[in-house]
Amino acid sequence: MRHNKSFNHLSRKKAHRDALLANMTISLIMHKRIFTTLAKAKALRVYAEPLINRAKEDSTHNRRLVFAHLQNKEAVTELFREISQKIAERNGGYTRILKTGNRLGDNAKMCFIELVDYNENLLEKPAKKATGRTRRSRRGNKPAAEAPAAEEAKAE
């Protein structure tokens, strides 16, 4: 029975699940965005966000705790050097899950999981549109007196 066991086991034993989540966290740290199933992304978010939160304070103790989970020097260095600077003022929610639809082979729900501060498309501020008149009718936006003059100009 699975009373009070709320996390997703992902149909794997504990050692396999831990290895999977550690490898996915390394890929997320190195590439800033990965493409995976929705169930794995939700499990990864629970696993990775506490590790990312540890990177806010760069101490030997925190580096050793993160390395104990990841076992990858390059990923730990990237996390504490690059990512920690971008997330310094953020209080949580370091990852974003964007659903992309279903996989063709087995119809599994697929998604992107990405680090929030590294998506340049969403970080750009949209350019302000020039405010113009709102067209209220379907007849056109020019008065009737100017319409023949415009037609003559086109004919020339």
Side-chain angles (χ1 to χ4, degrees), residues 8-26:
N8 192 344
H9 294 280
L10 299 173
S11 300
R12 289 163 172 84
K13 302 280 185 180
K14 181 172 178 18
H16 187 188
R17 188 172 54 248
D18 287 343
L20 170 83
L21 294 174
N23 287 331
M24 289 178 67
T25 304
I26 291 167

Side-chain angles (χ1 to χ4, degrees), residues 18 52 62 80 87-88 92 97 101 117:
D18 287 343
I52 296 171
N62 283 342
F80 278 88
I87 64 159
I97 295 177
D117 295 317

Side-chain angles (χ1 to χ4, degrees), residues 18 20-29 43-59 61-72 75-76 78-81 83-84 87 94-95 115:
D18 287 343
L20 170 83
L21 294 174
N23 287 331
M24 289 178 67
T25 304
I26 291 167
S27 295
L28 180 66
I29 290 169
L44 176 63
R45 180 174 52 192
V46 172
Y47 186 87
E49 289 209 4
L51 297 178
I52 296 171
N53 195 29
R54 286 241 174 233
K56 284 184 176 182
E57 182 187 345
D58 190 3
S59 65
H61 180 64
N62 283 342
R63 281 181 179 263
R64 285 178 178 167
L65 286 174
V66 171
F67 184 77
H69 286 280
L70 298 183
Q71 296 292 314
N72 187 307
V76 172
E78 175 80 12
L79 178 63
F80 278 88
R81 197 172 282 158
I83 296 174
S84 65
I87 64 159
Y94 309 114
T95 58
L115 296 175

Side-chain angles (χ1 to χ4, degrees), residues 91-103:
N91 290 327
Y94 309 114
T95 58
R96 174 186 298 127
I97 295 177
L98 300 169
K99 296 176 185 174
T100 58
N102 294 346
R103 187 160 51 197

Side-chain angles (χ1 to χ4, degrees), residues 97-113:
I97 295 177
L98 300 169
K99 296 176 185 174
T100 58
N102 294 346
R103 187 160 51 197
L104 288 177
D106 60 353
N107 209 30
K109 294 179 182 176
M110 299 300 288
C111 67
F112 281 111
I113 182 167

